[in-house]
Amino acid sequence: MTSTLKGITLKGSAELVAEFFSFGINSILYQRGIYPPETFSRVTHYDMSLQLSTDPKLKNYLTNVVSQLKEWLFECTVQKLVLVITCLETNEVLERWQFDIECDKSAKENSTPREKSIKTIQDEIRSVIRQITATVTFLPLLETPCAFDLLVYTDKDLAVPEKWEESGPQIIDQSEEVRLRSFTTSIHKVNSMVAYKRTDSV
Amino acid sequence: MDLEDDTTVLTTLKSFNSFISHNEPPQRLSEHSVGSGNLQSQYKRSMELLEAAERLHSKNRYLQLDQEKKQMELSHKRARFELEKAASDSARDLEHEFGRNQDLIGQIKKLEERETGAAKNLTEQTEANRALRKNLESLNKKLEERDMRLNTSNQHISSLRDEIRELKQKIQNQDSTISTQTLENQELQEQLDLQRRKYQEVSQLCQSLQAAQSSCSEHIIKIKELERRLALQEQDIAIVKTVKAEVAKVPDLEKELKRLREDNAFLRESRENCSLLKEEVEGLRRKLERMAKTKEELVNMELEKERFAEKLKAWENLGQSTGLNIRKPEDLSREVIQIQQREFALKEQNYTLNSRVRSVERSQSELRAELTQQRGKTLEEQKKRETQDALVRRLQKRVLLLTKERDGMRAILESYDSELAPTEYSPQLSKRLREAEDVLQKTQNHNAEMEAQLSKAQEETGALKLQLQTVELELESLKKQQASAADSSSLVTKEEVNILRQKIEDLETERQRLEEQNNILEMRLERHNLQGDYDPVKTRVLHLKMNPTTVAKQQRQQEVEALREEVTHLRELLRSVQDGTALAHSQDDSSMHTSGLGLSLPPSKEVLDLRKQMESSELRNQRLKEVFQRKIQEFRTVCYVLTGYQIDITTENQYRLTSVYSEHMDDSLLFKKGASGSMQLMETEFSKTLGEMVALHLHHQKSIPAFLSAVTLDLFSRQTTV
């Protein structure tokens, strides 16, 4: 943990949130079966056991995205991170995991660390990841082979880095939305929600 | 005594009973004769009877008790007697016991004496025992020592013997082992020889096995190749079957096509009819609508007509009602014009009057203003006059004061002059004079200032009073205006209040509506936000170019394309195979094969090889058949030549023999093979002529070759002779 024991700085908060995203995305990919479960290995983090992928291409992709996301979190220019699951046969979007990020911009000017214990943040993150695991019970089965994509909603005036391009929001038509728990590091607040395609319309 | 008591009881009871019975009849007799007088006597009698009964009863009791007492006494006596008996018995026993006791005591004494003697003996003997024991012990010890020595020596001897035995056994064992080992050695040598022979054999077998295995592997390889080719052929067959199935469906499809075309033509005709009908229907509908409209218009027109008729009547009546000379509408119009003209005139008058009124009002107001001004002015002048009067009075007072002062001063001066004449006090007097003059001047100045202040104050108060009065006048005028306008404006204010209230209510309802709209919009916004909507002006959506979805889609596309290519390729193969098989059925030319399949792709070479193999195997089969046939022919001819019989198989298990020397073509012998394998001759025309030989050779000798040879000889003899 890079954040000091005394408090949370902007950089530390950005790292915490980026770390949560990397573990959360791995959990979602494992739970929804996007990649075969034998390609995942068990690790312990946030005082619970999580699944982390060992596929090198996937790991490379995730590290690229998460590192860029960390920069944007530090600059407070990112608004949402969305994990989109599309069916390969019909090219339809079946699920959308959306994480809204609210950044307290006053932390940019004021560099004093904020009082929030890492343990409470970890507890909150743990409850969010547990809830993500529990959502599998009511989400419809993904029977066809699927692929995922990560979209980032940023401010309009941001410079688009190399290797990134603009894309559409990839919204599901006739979706059901469920709001999940949120956690806050006192500088960044992350709200999670999941939207899935209604099965009776399929 | 008891009996006597009982008898006395019984006798008394009897006497009592007899007394009672005796008393009763006289009582009964006496009842009828005497009335109440006898009752008392009866009563007395009954009482006497009762007393008697009681007495008897008590007597009885007494007797009973006596009896009991006597009985008790008896029992007491008996008990005493018995006790006395028991006491005497016990005394006797006691005496006996006593005697015995004494005897026993004497015995005891004797025994005690014996005991003492025995004890003495015992002690002596114990002492002797001890001495003996000591001796014994010493002897025992000696014995033990000897025993031990003996034991040790024995043990030694036994151990030595054991050793000897063991050694002997060892020697024996070793001898035996040596012998067994020599035997084993021999056996092993023999086995070795055997094994060597076996090894040689096995090595030979191995070599043969290896040769066989190599040939086997070659065969296996060939088998696998053939299997692969078989599988491919089967796939081709499957494809052919599916194509055939599809082809089989074609006639059905054609039939359906025909049917559909007929339906189509029919439907087109019907459609045209339909369209015509629809147009007619539309035209009719429009007509209907127009008719309905015209109907309505008719109805309206009729209503209007009625109304107009009424109006006309009213108008016509007007003329009668108003009393004017109206019969035509022209008269009405004229009247109306006249009225209008009158109206105009009146309006003009009205306007002029209004203007006059207004001008009058204006002048009135102006005059009022002037009035107020004049009043103010008059008040001012009054004030001025008053101030002037006050000034005048003050001046008069001053004048009086001055005159008084002058007089005083004159008096003083005269006095001083009168006083000065005798003496010269001029410097002091002049000083005093100057001081007095100074004081005078100061007081005069002071006075003048005070008077000036006073006058200012008075002017100010006068001005204030003027203002007050003007203001009061204005207030009065305003109040009058208000009073006049109060009535008219009250209604206006009420109307304004109502209007304002309505405006407030409208605004409130609009506010609520807007609030609800706001809530709905907020909910929609929230929902859109959940779904992932964003404001394109402020946000942008980014993702990596090389993301897993695009990669997966590309892979999928590549797979799809590869699959499509494979499918087209397979279809071409199929076609070529079908062409190839068709050609193979029609011609066997290998050149055609190569030309026909030269366009096809490499895998068809396998098919070619298979075909070549097939042809070669067929050729081989044919050749084998020819060879077999030739050989059979040769063998048959040789048999015919050598044995003289041509053997034909007519049906299963039936053999027909025709001889070389047979006279007719049909002369033949039929033999049938029975179930057990023995040959039996069947009846033929020719065999009937050979009955003798059949009987001789077959029935007697039971030899078919002899019979056959006899037949040939017979026929040969017949031929040569004939």
Side-chain angles (χ1 to χ4, degrees), chain A residues 79-80 86 89 91 96 98 148-154 156 160 163 165-167 177 179 193, chain B residues 526-527 529-532 534 536-549 553 556:
Chain A
Q79 297 170 11
K80 288 192 225 270
T86 32
E89 282 171 20
N91 277 336
R96 229 170 160 273
Q98 188 168 290
F148 82 100
D149 192 6
L150 288 170
L151 308 176
V152 186
Y153 285 46
T154 59
K156 183 97 181 172
V160 179
K163 294 194 195 170
E165 63 177 6
E166 266 208 59
S167 98
E177 298 96 33
R179 220 174 232 287
M193 62 205 81
Chain B
E526 173 76 20
R527 187 134 191 276
N529 195 22
L530 276 175
Q531 282 181 340
Y534 64 100
V537 175
K538 290 181 199 160
T539 51
R540 194 194 294 208
V541 183
L542 297 176
H543 68 164
L544 270 178
K545 284 177 197 164
M546 290 310 296
N547 62 63
T549 313
K553 278 186 192 168
R556 232 192 148 72

Side-chain angles (χ1 to χ4, degrees), chain B residues 565 568-570 572-573 576 596-608:
Chain B
E565 278 179 18
T568 51
H569 171 63
L570 282 166
E572 281 176 19
L573 259 180
S576 64
L597 298 168
L599 300 162
S600 58
L601 299 157
S604 64
K605 271 184 193 168
E606 292 183 4
V607 174
L608 272 172

